Amino acid sequence: MDDLNAIMTPGMLVRHPDRPEWGVGQVQSNSAGKVTVNFRGEGKIVIDSFRVGLMPVFDD
């Protein structure tokens, strides 16, 4: 399986493709297929990069 978020680095802004209500989140860390993101509408969430591909945000 591929790490869908391998390019994500701390500070990047992202959205969860299946949870638009969470709003924009900021990547806190990315290690061993786990990305920790602090979402405005949900708080800190750990994402499994082998199951969910986060969407980068460039216009927020």
Side-chain angles (χ1 to χ4, degrees):
M1 263 196 292
D2 292 328
D3 182 343
L4 301 172
N5 300 306
I7 65 164
M8 301 297 174
T9 58
M12 288 183 73
L13 299 178
V14 297
R15 289 188 188 274
H16 190 295
D18 300 326
R19 301 282 189 243
E21 66 275 13
W22 289 358
V24 174
Q26 184 179 45
V27 175
Q28 304 296 299
S29 66
N30 186 354
S31 179
K34 302 288 185 199
V35 180
T36 302
V37 182
N38 190 17
F39 287 98
R40 292 179 187 163
E42 187 65 17
K44 197 172 284 190
I45 302 289
V46 177
I47 305 292
D48 181 346
S49 288
F50 297 102
R51 302 182 80 192
V52 176
L54 296 168
M55 301 181 310
V57 174
F58 299 106
D59 61 353
D60 189 62

